[in-house]
Amino acid sequence: MSQPDVVVVGGGALGSATAWQLARRGADVVLLEQFGFGHHRGASHGTSRILRRSYHTPAYVRLADEAYADWSVLEAEAGERLVTRVGGLDLFPRDAAIPPADYVASLTACGVPFEQLSGAEVSARWPALVLPEDILAVHQADTSIVPAGRGTATLQRRARAAGARLVDRCPVLELVDRGKAGVEVRTPLESYRPSRVVLTADSWTNDLLAPLGAAVPLTVTREQVTYFAPEDPGAFGPDRLPVWIWMDDPSFYGFPTYGESGTGHLVKAAQDCGGALTSADGRSFDTDQAALDLLTRFLGPLLPGVGPAVRTETCLYTLTPDRDFVLGPVAAHPCVLLGLGAGHGFKFAPTLGGVLADLVAEGTTTIDIAAFAPDRPALVQAGHPVSWLA
Ligand SMILES: Cc1cc2nc3c(=O)[nH]c(=O)nc-3n(C[C@H](O)[C@H](O)[C@H](O)COP(=O)(O)OP(=O)(O)OC[C@H]3O[C@@H](n4cnc5c(N)ncnc54)[C@H](O)[C@@H]3O)c2cc1C
């Protein structure tokens, strides 16, 4: 087998998108995944993820614009619908821990249309949601749902179609920087010697950085999402309920019914950043009953008809201290590029894959990634304050 130009480590959404974007640009790329494709041990499995424009900084709002465009390219190439536009509500209670002003200012600065509604106006339009009067709701009509497991599989299918070699059940044991001679990528099967490596290993990232004498301050949490069975699923359909995010601490979010893998009549909801600290290999798959009780208590008054919890799934967040992405070279090892989604990267996967492909090919990209530099203060200053809710 000929030596590839690039090896991508990790077959989740970011790695698969990077392999797709690299192969589309004509690069000879090999993607290596330690488990079987479609596994449920990382962060890219399950039914659904939120794609939205409403973010707390203009840089993210602009990046979301790129993401919508890249999802459309992927849909067209794959001949498959991936983006289901349902609208989204950011719900800010009085004295919310997450300031609405950042969202309003960022959407305004980027010319993205939105509405500001009261609790009563929201409940009048979407009767499934019962809100206190003094809620400020920001409604953005383009908020959408993208399929997690199916979307990742589509990226892999398109990467193969563009010529990428995707190998699963092949763990990368070590990366050895050989300087001008490239990077030696050791696996149980064989060693590769590409000129560049893209490390999109999320919760496992530091396992591969350690032998290179590098590390990123990452916190891994075990998050869980729960499916509820409403008596009248129709009242929670995408035409009757938008995606919603409760912008406070604790923060919760939820979806209308969405028909992936037998959950079409179920309503999914979860707490954001409510998971216990864990590690990629030490995590359990058990339901955290206390977290489920907290979610159920929260949903009771907000979505009175949501029904009983019927299924809970776990998934890993890999959080940087500022919860911003990491995109760029490892200090002292410029031939190893990092891609980390910080627990909110799925919506941007096709775009982050493009950015990483640009960095491999050109060493630079036209997209503003200044906030995601691997050597930014939040990642190099010891004890940098943590802020995961923004
Ligand atoms: C509950 C939950 C809800 C979320 N909701 C949203 C949302 O609504 N919107 C959104 O945009 N994002 C959301 N996210 C975040 C998003 O899902 C992740 O940011 C994204 O999936 C990360 O993709 P990844 O490819 O970086 O990571 P992963 O999917 O974890 O992929 C990393 C891969 O690397 C592989 N790997 C690791 N080490 C090695 C090795 N040594 N050799 C070979 N392979 C290796 C792993 O096996 C794994 O497959 C959510 C995440 C969770 C957990």
Side-chain angles (χ1 to χ4, degrees):
M1 189 189 286
S2 65
Q3 280 303 333
D5 303 326
V6 192
V7 165
V8 175
V9 182
L14 264 63
S16 305
T18 305
W20 171 59
Q21 292 281 18
L22 280 164
R24 301 174 74 230
R25 288 166 169 78
D28 178 3
V29 54
V30 169
L31 180 150
L32 302 171
E33 166 54 48
Q34 63 183 340
F35 304 125
F37 288 126
H39 69 86
H40 284 211
R41 303 184 63 97
S44 300
H45 59 275
T47 55
S48 51
R49 298 287 188 273
I50 302 170
L51 165 62
R52 57 187 161 100
R53 297 183 187 282
S54 59
Y55 255 89
H56 56 291
T57 70
Y60 273 118
V61 175
R62 284 190 291 271
L63 192 67
D65 212 34
E66 300 281 346
Y68 277 88
D70 288 328
W71 279 106
S72 303
V73 169
L74 180 63
E75 285 186 315
E77 246 197 46
E80 186 183 345
R81 179 164 177 219
L82 296 166
V83 177
T84 303
R85 188 170 178 271
V86 295
L89 284 167
D90 296 329
L91 303 172
F92 300 89
R94 184 188 292 276
D95 306 325
I98 301 172
D102 295 348
Y103 285 74
V104 170
S106 300
L107 291 170
T108 306
C110 298
V112 174
F114 65 96
E115 300 167 86
Q116 299 192 54
L117 304 167
S118 69
E121 287 168 324
V122 168
S123 299
R125 265 165 79 172
W126 299 283
L129 271 169
V130 178
L131 295 176
E133 179 47 36
D134 60 357
I135 285 276
L136 166 61
V138 171
H139 179 252
Q140 212 294 309
D142 297 330
T143 297
S144 302
I145 306 174
V146 285
R150 179 164 66 86
T152 304
T154 300
L155 285 163
Q156 290 162 358
R157 191 159 49 81
R158 295 314 307 164
R160 283 195 188 91
R165 288 172 273 164
L166 276 63
V167 186
D168 66 353
R169 302 182 202 287
C170 181
V172 171
L173 304 174
E174 189 177 3
L175 302 174
V176 183
D177 188 346
R178 300 284 186 210
K180 289 207 168 25
V183 187
E184 186 182 345
V185 180
R186 295 187 176 154
T187 81
L189 303 176
E190 64 179 293
S191 277
Y192 298 85
R193 184 66 71 88
S195 60
R196 290 283 183 282
V197 165
V198 179
L199 194 48
T200 44
D202 215 31
S203 307
W204 290 265
T205 299
N206 281 326
D207 299 350
L208 284 167
L209 287 180
L212 293 169
V216 181
L218 297 174
T219 302
V220 178
T221 62
R222 189 185 56 120
E223 302 292 320
Q224 64 184 36
V225 301
T226 297
Y227 296 86
F228 295 82
E231 222 169 275
D232 173 14
F236 295 81
D239 55 339
R240 310 274 294 279
L241 178 69
V243 160
W244 57 272
I245 306 178
W246 184 262
M247 295 287 192
D248 201 1
D249 187 5
S251 175
F252 301 90
Y253 61 93
F255 298 76
T257 57
Y258 174 71
E260 292 288 316
S261 54
T263 63
H265 58 298
L266 302 176
V267 172
K268 176 178 153 182
Q271 181 182 358
D272 180 42
C273 276
L277 299 188
T278 188
S279 69
D281 291 324
R283 47 81 56 86
S284 91
F285 293 82
D286 306 335
T287 296
D288 178 334
Q289 193 57 45
L292 176 53
D293 294 345
L294 176 67
L295 174 66
T296 307
R297 279 197 305 279
F298 173 79
L299 286 181
L302 186 93
L303 284 172
V306 77
V310 291
R311 175 174 146 190
T312 291
E313 250 172 32
T314 63
C315 179
L316 297 179
Y317 272 2
T318 306
L319 301 162
T320 50
D322 53 10
R323 205 170 178 186
D324 285 323
F325 306 143
V326 183
L327 293 171
V330 175
H333 301 281
C335 48
V336 180
L337 294 164
L338 278 172
L340 280 157
H344 63 117
F346 195 96
K347 65 179 74 61
F348 297 108
T351 301
L352 300 185
V355 165
L356 290 162
D358 289 346
L359 294 178
V360 166
E362 325 282 337
T364 181
T365 181
T366 55
I367 293 188
D368 173 11
I369 57 169
F372 312 134
D375 58 357
R376 65 182 186 269
L379 302 185
V380 296
Q381 279 169 3
H384 190 280
V386 161
S387 69
W388 293 332
L389 295 180

